[in-house]
């Protein structure tokens, strides 16, 4: 099973995919390229929805339109006027070199998003959660590259990745309060000798987790309850950044990748770096949650 490139775009850092079940469209972003795209299945030309500096995640909004993270703040995006309006002030205050990275909503409509050091060196980032009517709350600190978010189908466990640690962690999670506790490692790429570092992730309807390998040209599927590797899928791009289930039946897995910082030789050998891919993995995913705020 080989994922196929489904759009004409070659992104610098393709990220933040989310599925809009009302419109049957996949939103995704190019972070450093600064673009929000909409991909309609079976159409090779993705629509540019909006240019936004360092846009790192995008989600459908319950009341209509989209919500997104850009630089250090959350924004709303009106799909008719294409106007961007801030939902929050900057979350990172004085740390100019940080920016938002991966973000996703939980089943209660809270928007979780983490930050990272743009130089990818210091643990100056954090994980935030934005709840209707409230200010963003910092939930985790000392993060270097905040990535991979997901929840178990029963919403009792939240998954999280700080990429340079090469670990996927799990936390006890309360859907009612949005509180997390008891962070522990469930997959360690160093111990299991996996290529690259764990980046974005997605949870399927069987509760298994799919992890994107940045620098590892693959996706892996794991059983989070025992940390066992179930399977590996090669992706024809070096830097696999994230994945998200979509399609009318949630049986299509969309995969975003990055071309940034690859040398000319690698780019020539793998011309699909930066493409959006799709594969039907034989298992359905969980729906993308909308932002309720
Ligand atoms: C970030 C990239 C980073 C990569 C490393 C991505 O999520 O957007 O800037 O290089 O993670 O894992
Ligand atoms: Ca990512």
């Amino acid at each position: 099973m080989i994922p196929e490139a489904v759009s004409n775009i070659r992104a610098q850092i393709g990220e933040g995919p989310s599925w809009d079940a009302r419109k049957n469209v996949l939103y995704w972003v190019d972070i450093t390229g600064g673009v929000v795209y909409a991909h309609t299945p079976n159409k090779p030309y993705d629509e540019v929805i909006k240019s936004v500096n360092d846009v790192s995640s995008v989600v459908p909004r319950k009341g209509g339109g989209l919500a997104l993270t850009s630089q250090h703040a959350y924004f709303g995006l009106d799909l008719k006027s294409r106007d961007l309006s801030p939902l929050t002030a900057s979350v990172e205050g004085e740390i100019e070199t940080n920016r938002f990275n991966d973000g996703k909503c939980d089943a209660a409509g809270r928007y979780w998003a983490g930050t990272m050091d743009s130089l990818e060196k210091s643990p100056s980032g954090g994980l935030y959660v934005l709840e209707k009517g409230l200010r963003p709350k910092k939930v985790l600190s000392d993060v270097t590259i905040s990535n991979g978010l997901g929840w178990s189908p029963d919403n009792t466990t939240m998954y999280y990745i700080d990429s340079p640690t090469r670990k996927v962690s799990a936390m006890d999670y309360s859907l009612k309060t949005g509180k997390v506790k008891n962070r522990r490692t469930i997959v360690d790429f160093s111990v299991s000798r996996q290529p690259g570092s764990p980046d974005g992730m997605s949870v399927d309807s069987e509760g298994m987790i799919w992890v994107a390998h940045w620098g590892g040209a693959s996706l892996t599927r794991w059983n989070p309850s025992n940390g066992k590797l179930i399977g590996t899928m090669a992706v024809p791009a070096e830097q696999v950044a994230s994945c998200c289930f979509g399609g009318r039946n949630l049986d299509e897995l969309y995969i975003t990748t990055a071309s940034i910082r690859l040398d000319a030789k690698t780019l020539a050998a793998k011309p699909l770096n930066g493409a959006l891919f799709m594969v039907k993995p034989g298992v359905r995913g969980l729906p993308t949650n909308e932002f309720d705020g």
Side-chain angles (χ1 to χ4, degrees), residues 195-210:
S197 21
D199 201 300
M201 59 168 286
S202 203
V203 183
D204 66 34
S205 57
E206 295 172 1
M208 303 299 128
I209 61 173
W210 293 75

Side-chain angles (χ1 to χ4, degrees), residues 15 101-102 147 199-200 241:
E15 279 277 5
N101 201 38
D102 210 345
N147 258 317
D199 201 300

